[in-house]
């Protein structure tokens, strides 16, 4: 099957695919090491995997995809790897803009993008601006993102509003808190997928993933393709989400 004729397998029900899928794209470095390549070569292949996965999720009818591309903790990596990742991000966004317009994708970001080098930040802002009026799938990229950072920033904003008298303390609840997070307006992820066999959140969507279903896949991210996506969707559709209710509750 070539990339153009991607079809949702018949055993996946298009009516019950998750609305929002979040992905921790992990294992680029180990993939590269295994092949005797530089880490950045793994990141480059990781971009190809992200494109395959986005295409598969769009084919499945998923409305929101959040991709963990760079965490607040990833700034601790060697400068060469960080700058390589930032350049790769800039080039990828510039190259993919046309395709985003064709598919109707909307680019959004979460994270402290002011920390990014200006060339990368400008490319991000440009694609966010250009795709703003599209009506298709939302591709939300987490950049210099940390779940704890986001919760602290949200708390500061709510305290500021309370102190200024813009918001009543009694009116701060889980809903208002969610509405002040960077993911405001997006549903919480129904399904969270992590590649490379690691089974941890690594400071991703700490608040939003409270009731997500988790799928851990052993494949390194650069090897990810539509089949890994179909398997995760099958796994998701086989689960019973209870949200704390009794198992026989409707
Ligand atoms: C994920 O792959 C990409 C980023 C964190 C930017 P890694 O670079 O973490 O790959 P491993 O975990 O070292 O294999
Ligand atoms: C999580 O992967 C961050 C991204 C995929 C961008 P890491 O490789 O940074 O996470 P840890 O260090 O293994 O927890
Ligand atoms: Mg990693």
């Amino acid at each position: 099957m070539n990339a153009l004729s991607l079809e949702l397998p018949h055993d996946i029900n298009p009516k019950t695919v998750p609305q929002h899928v979040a992905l921790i794209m992990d294992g680029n470095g180990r993939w590269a090491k295994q092949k005797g390549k530089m880490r950045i070569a793994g990141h480059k292949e990781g971009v190809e995997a992200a494109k395959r996965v986005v295409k598969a999720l769009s084919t499945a009818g998923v409305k929101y995809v959040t991709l963990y591309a760079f965490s607040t903790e990833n700034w601790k990596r060697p400068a060469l790897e960080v700058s390589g990742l930032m350049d790769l991000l800039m080039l990828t966004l510039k190259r993919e803009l046309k395709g985003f317009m064709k598919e109707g994708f909307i680019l959004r970001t979460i994270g402290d993008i002011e920390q990014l080098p200006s060339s990368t930040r400008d490319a991000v802002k440009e694609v966010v601006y250009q795709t703003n009026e599209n009506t298709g799938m939302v591709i939300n990229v987490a950049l210099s993102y940390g779940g704890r950072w986001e919760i602290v920033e949200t708390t500061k904003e709510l305290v500021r509003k309370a102190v200024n008298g813009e918001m009543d303390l009694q009116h701060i609840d889980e809903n208002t808190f969610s509405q002040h997070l960077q993911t405001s307006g997006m549903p919480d992820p129904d399904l969270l997928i992590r590649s490379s066999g690691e089974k941890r959140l690594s400071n991703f969507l700490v608040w939003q993933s409270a009731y997500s279903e988790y799928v851990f896949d052993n494949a390194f991210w650069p090897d990810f393709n539509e089949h890994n996506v179909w398997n995760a969707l099958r796994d998701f559709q086989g689960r019973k989400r209870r949200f704390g209710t009794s198992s026989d509750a409707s």
Side-chain angles (χ1 to χ4, degrees):
M1 182 187 285
N2 68 34
L4 291 170
S5 64
L6 208 55
E7 269 177 34
L8 190 65
H10 295 299
D11 61 332
I12 297 172
N13 182 352
K15 294 202 180 80
T16 55
V17 294
Q19 256 203 300
H20 182 177
V21 178
L23 294 118
I24 302 177
M25 311 185 286
D26 197 16
N28 296 351
R30 278 163 285 164
W31 179 93
K33 191 172 183 191
Q34 206 180 46
K35 295 206 151 28
K37 297 184 179 189
M38 304 275 286
R39 290 181 65 87
I40 195 69
H43 297 314
K44 275 193 186 140
E45 275 307 305
V47 170
E48 298 309 311
K51 284 159 65 179
R52 290 191 292 272
V53 166
V54 162
K55 189 173 178 69
L57 291 169
S58 158
T59 300
V62 167
K63 293 279 180 286
Y64 300 88
V65 179
T66 298
L67 300 170
Y68 203 6
F70 197 86
S71 74
T72 46
E73 290 73 26
N74 289 151
W75 291 113
K76 293 184 231 161
R77 293 189 179 200
L80 202 62
E81 184 178 355
V82 170
S83 63
L85 276 164
M86 292 300 149
D87 287 348
L88 184 59
L89 185 69
M90 175 189 64
L91 293 170
T92 303
L93 285 172
K94 287 188 172 175
R95 208 177 47 213
E96 296 306 315
L97 175 59
K98 243 184 173 169
F100 277 30
M101 297 311 288
K102 189 163 158 273
E103 300 291 336
F105 293 155
I106 300 160
L107 184 77
R108 278 185 62 170
T109 64
I110 52 173
D112 192 2
I113 66 159
E114 295 310 315
Q115 299 300 319
L116 305 181
S118 56
S119 53
T120 307
R121 192 170 59 233
D122 289 348
V124 168
K125 286 186 174 169
E126 177 66 15
V127 179
V128 168
Y129 175 75
Q130 294 287 342
T131 61
N132 188 36
E133 311 245 292
N134 287 350
T135 55
M137 187 170 81
V138 173
I139 300 177
N140 182 37
V141 184
L143 289 170
S144 189
Y145 174 85
R148 289 179 173 178
W149 167 84
E150 183 187 30
I151 289 169
V152 169
E153 289 303 309
T154 300
T155 306
K156 278 156 68 177
E157 174 66 6
L158 289 171
V159 169
R160 192 191 61 74
K161 284 191 173 177
V163 169
N164 289 351
E166 289 169 48
M167 186 174 261
D168 210 335
L169 208 52
Q170 277 89 313
H171 292 147
I172 299 178
D173 57 14
E174 291 184 13
N175 276 333
T176 48
F177 200 90
S178 289
Q179 283 158 12
H180 284 79
L181 289 168
Q182 298 219 316
T183 49
S184 172
M186 297 176 61
D188 286 342
D190 309 284
L191 171 62
L192 192 148
I193 304 170
R194 184 168 188 150
S195 61
S196 88
E198 306 294 355
K199 295 177 182 67
R200 55 177 171 262
L201 204 49
S202 300
N203 204 10
F204 196 31
L205 304 173
V206 170
W207 171 283
Q208 298 88 336
S209 63
Y211 263 106
S212 301
E213 294 295 328
Y214 291 73
V215 167
F216 299 104
D217 189 314
N218 285 328
F220 290 142
W221 181 254
D223 288 328
F224 240 71
N225 61 33
E226 63 272 23
H227 301 291
N228 303 80
V229 173
W230 308 149
N231 283 337
L233 293 178
R234 284 186 190 104
D235 200 339
F236 175 82
Q237 293 193 332
R239 296 192 193 179
K240 175 106 184 71
R241 300 180 83 188
R242 283 190 279 275
F243 302 101
T245 63
S246 312
S247 58
D248 55 357
S250 61

